[in-house]
Amino acid sequence: MFQLILYTFVVNALQQIMLKFLYIISILLVIFNSISFLYEPSEIYKILGHMLFMPITGLVYGFLRDWQFGKIDQRIFLVCLIGCIGDGIIFFVLNEKGEFLQLVSAFFVHFIFINIFRNEGAYVFNIAKINILKVLVPALIVFFFFGFVLLPVLPNVLYFMVIFYAIEVAILVVIGYFRPVSENEYWLVAVGVTLLLLKDILYSYFFFVFKSNQHLLYIPFYIFNALAYFLIIYGIAINQNTNREVQEKISIKLILNIIHSLFKKKIKSNIFDSIFLK
């Protein structure tokens, strides 16, 4: 039993060290990828840098979840895989088709997030006062910007895809605002989906309406995107862990009861031996 407790302690300590290491790597990776927009390093470094962020985020999720592989866990790992491929597509296909494929990958990632939020119990409820704003504000922003500002200037290859994408983004944000979870888990994801919406609007405006190709503009867009995905995935992970706290408490209590039971049996055995074996 002592060996089990020691093993658990060592594993938890190593896991915390790995998590801190991955947090540092994530920050350094975002900094490197942001600088790469300015100084144009070797293309291979640029591609690898951008494709590594989502796998690193997947590792963070894995360690946070003690490498569980439930349905939601599998979907998050799939999100990280699709995100990794999507981040690399734009470098390999440098035209409208590349933008289309990247949009498709983002569409699938957002669809999986919506599915996860629904599995967490998110649904639009109690349409009154503040909850009306949670629905109307993102929906009106998406409808106005994508409908009146963006669609008239879009290339034909992106036209219908952007319509579907805009509807999905509105649903993603609204459902993200209605997750029935505790405060920390709620705000992490709420901020994440809000950043995704802002990033999509700003990116679309500058590159399709304003038509600016300044590399400097990519930096805030990339940081918004990276931070948004990290917050959403992190929020889902700790919500999953919160949902299993009861089992963890029971298991710890069970270990303590076993130790107590073994200790009592030892005492009883010693008393029995002293009475009957003398």
Side-chain angles (χ1 to χ4, degrees), residues 13 16-17 39 47 59 84-85 108 110 117 131 141 145 151 189 202 209 216 224 226-227 249 258 266 275:
Q16 291 303 313
I17 292 171
Y39 295 103
I47 294 170
L59 289 176
C84 170
I85 296 171
F108 280 111
H110 295 174
F117 296 163
N131 288 329
I141 289 174
F145 179 78
L151 286 183
V189 172
L202 292 173
V209 181
L216 185 63
F224 271 32
L227 184 59
K249 288 177 182 177
I258 291 172
K266 183 75 172 176
I275 295 175

Side-chain angles (χ1 to χ4, degrees), residues 62-86:
F63 279 106
L64 284 171
R65 290 282 295 133
D66 293 330
W67 296 102
Q68 301 291 314
F69 288 94
K71 289 184 178 179
I72 290 180
D73 304 314
Q74 293 172 20
R75 290 167 193 166
I76 290 295
F77 293 133
L78 179 59
V79 159
C80 292
L81 176 61
I82 296 174
C84 170
I85 296 171

Side-chain angles (χ1 to χ4, degrees), residues 37 44 81 95 97 146-147 180 185 224 238 253 261:
F37 288 122
I44 187 64
L81 176 61
N95 52 35
K97 290 183 180 179
F146 286 91
E185 292 89 332
F224 271 32
I238 62 174
K253 185 177 179 181
S261 175

